[in-house]
Amino acid sequence: MNYKIEICANSAASCIEAEKGGAYRVELCAAIPEGGTTPSYGEIFSALKSTSILVNVIIRPRGADFLYSRLEMDSMIKDIEMCKQLGVNGVVIGALDKDGNFNMEYMKELVNAAQGLSITCHRAFDACKDPFVALEQLIELGIDRVLTSGQQANAEKGIPLLKKLVEKADGRIIIMPGCGINENNIKKIAQETGVTELHMSLRSNVEGGMEFRNPDLFMGNPDISEFSYDVTDESKVRRCVNILNDL
């Protein structure tokens, strides 16, 4: 089986580490704690300049739900145009209506803007009311793959639905499980679902280089260190790649 690993990369530095570890592709995101939002022009440029790995970029203007205003849609269209200009491999999109179905009018706009790029639907799919109706909507749109946890808290819990989605898709769209996949469960998820592409984070916390540290300063959440940050861990990526190569 020819498995492909996609890494959810939170920076150009993470893209570099993902490539070193043998990943096939990255999904470049900002604001990972919010589920991922569109990274800056500079971050995308740096990732493309410093790696040769395939770079897909999430197109998401904010966290929270996937019910977007016209203003937010206009921003997403412009972000897709920016990604095209920079030369990314693909974009990662999704927009729902208030009833938990894909907003087909908005989705068609996003797909049309992304013509010529690889198109993934992000985990807006997991917020849909009926996953099988949603799957047919994505196939109708001509989208290449869907990132999903099987509508569960993590992909391991979502194995039963993931397996059914693979069977229902029948090669018409790629089902790519993601959320909570690591070296301890990647083999189980791959074998029990029948998927060929898997999406993982595989980051480690890195201590920053500041020597002077104001203990009273908090730029955001006081429970999160101001002096360390997460970066994709090359060794974790390589271990997962090796596990799949042995299957």
Side-chain angles (χ1 to χ4, degrees), residues 69-99:
S69 68
R70 184 66 248 177
L71 185 64
E72 290 169 326
M73 269 295 295
D74 291 342
S75 295
M76 289 192 283
I77 296 295
K78 286 297 181 184
D79 280 336
I80 291 173
E81 292 174 3
M82 171 192 70
C83 286
K84 275 189 167 181
Q85 291 168 4
L86 284 168
V88 304
N89 176 72
V91 290
V92 186
I93 62 171
L96 303 184
D97 63 24
K98 62 183 177 62
D99 297 316

Side-chain angles (χ1 to χ4, degrees), residues 5-7 147-149 153-157 159 162 176-190 193 195 197-203 236 240 244:
I5 285 181
E6 177 181 276
I7 295 298
L147 169 62
T148 172
S149 64
N154 59 63
E156 188 169 3
K157 290 182 178 179
I159 285 175
L162 288 166
M176 180 172 65
C179 188
I181 303 179
N182 55 53
E183 61 192 278
N184 298 316
N185 59 20
I186 188 171
K187 180 177 179 180
K188 176 183 178 181
I189 293 169
T193 62
V195 299
E197 297 191 10
L198 299 100
H199 174 97
M200 288 162 281
S201 295
L202 305 179
R203 289 184 291 273
K236 291 182 180 180
C240 286
L244 292 181

Side-chain angles (χ1 to χ4, degrees), residues 62 65-73 76-77 93-112 121-122 124-125 127-130 133-138 140-141 143:
R62 57 166 171 80
D65 62 30
F66 305 96
L67 182 64
Y68 295 119
S69 68
R70 184 66 248 177
L71 185 64
E72 290 169 326
M73 269 295 295
M76 289 192 283
I77 296 295
I93 62 171
L96 303 184
D97 63 24
K98 62 183 177 62
D99 297 316
N101 302 302
F102 280 106
N103 183 327
M104 292 298 277
E105 178 185 346
Y106 278 6
M107 289 295 288
K108 287 174 183 176
E109 284 189 56
L110 295 170
V111 168
N112 287 338
C121 176
H122 54 50
F125 180 88
C128 287
K129 179 169 56 179
D130 186 324
V133 169
L135 185 70
E136 295 302 325
Q137 287 182 310
L138 295 181
E140 179 186 337
L141 289 162
I143 286 174

Side-chain angles (χ1 to χ4, degrees), residues 218 220-226:
F218 296 101
N221 186 341
D223 295 325
I224 298 176
S225 171
E226 300 287 346

